[in-house]
Structures are given as C-alpha cells and as structure tokens.
Amino acid sequence: VSVNLKDNLEVMADEAHLQNAFLNILDNANKYCSQKPSIIVDVSRVQQFAVLDFSDNGIGLDKAAQKRIFEKFFRVSTGDLHTVKGFGLGLSYVHSVITAHNGQIELSSKPGKGSRFRIKLPLA
Ligand SMILES: Nc1ncnc2c1ncn2[C@@H]1O[C@H](COP(=O)(O)OP(=O)(O)OP(=O)(O)O)[C@@H](O)[C@H]1O
Ligand SMILES: [Mg+2]
C-alpha cells in the first residue's frame, strides 16, 4: 500500500469505526485481485472535505454489481475469485460508518481494470 498525503487534514470522527472502514476497503482490494495487489491511497482536500481515494488493481466490478455494492450481504458470485471467503457485510458497514459521519462514498470501477473507492468526510 502506498499513501499520498498532500495536506494535514482533521476530521471529527469515531476513530475505531473509521479505522475498521478503511481496513475493510484495503482487505477487499487485497482479496479481489488476481495479480500482485497494488493499492494506492490518495488523501487531499476539496473545499470543506477530506477526500480519500482508495485505488486498486483488482478484478473490478461491472455496472450491475456497482449498483448493489453497498447492500448488506451482496457478493459477486461469479468470476475466478468466487472462492474468496466473505459475508458481504464489509461494504454495507463501511457505507453506514461514512454516512453516520455525514460523509459520502462512491465507487468507480471497470471489470479487469480495478476499482476506486472515494470517501469524502467533512473537515473539522
Ligand atoms: N476492491 C474490490 N474489487 C472487486 N470487487 C470487490 C471489491 N470490493 C468488494 N468487491 C465485491 O463486492 C462484494 C461485497 O464486498 P464486501 O466487503 O461487502 O463483502 P465481502 O468482502 O464479500 O465479505 P466481508 O467484507 O463481509 O468479509 C465482494 O464479495 C466482492 O464481490
Ligand atoms: Mg469485504
């Protein structure tokens, strides 16, 4: 994992939940990858928000899966990594944590090209 921190940003947050949320995203980036995982985290400031981009070189998600990705128990059942274990709870938890902090999370992804999860959190 490489982290690029451009500014020193402060948010008011529940440290444990936020850590868990970030770990879930990193865990997924590591799990849903068919090559040597390379994960980049970019942190920057956009207006009154801290923006955290988690980019991976994993298997990516098609449009249908992207729509449902934050649903509880949703998992992509097909593909070459269907044997990877999980409950489908990680990202629904991440979504709850981020929205509870008045933040936003969005996904951009292309099958075979990787994914980018963008989290915006209001600055303190
Ligand atoms: N970075 C990613 N690249 C490709 N697919 C992903 C990525 N992150 C999540 N997915 C897909 O989205 C599904 C839901 O992810 P989520 O983290 O909610 O559950 P999980 O990893 O299956 O299980 P859990 O996190 O509860 O152990 C995954 O099963 C996987 O199919
Ligand atoms: Mg997960």
Side-chain angles (χ1 to χ4, degrees), residues 27-105:
D27 177 52
N28 285 343
N30 196 43
K31 278 201 297 193
Y32 304 110
C33 192
S34 50
Q35 52 187 318
K36 185 173 182 277
S38 154
I39 307 167
I40 299 167
V41 186
D42 281 304
V43 183
S44 61
R45 177 186 179 147
V46 177
Q47 291 152 359
Q48 282 306 96
F49 290 88
V51 178
L52 297 90
D53 281 335
F54 294 79
S55 303
D56 67 45
N57 62 338
I59 58 178
L61 291 140
D62 64 21
K63 279 261 146 45
Q66 287 174 42
K67 272 202 184 125
R68 303 190 54 199
I69 191 83
F70 298 113
E71 282 175 27
K72 216 177 233 184
F73 301 121
F74 175 77
R75 303 196 77 213
V76 175
S77 50
T78 52
D80 51 353
L81 291 183
H82 69 282
T83 50
V84 174
K85 286 193 174 57
F87 295 104
L89 288 173
L91 287 176
S92 80
Y93 166 78
V94 171
H95 187 267
S96 310
V97 170
I98 298 306
T99 52
H101 285 82
N102 297 316
Q104 292 164 17
I105 180 165

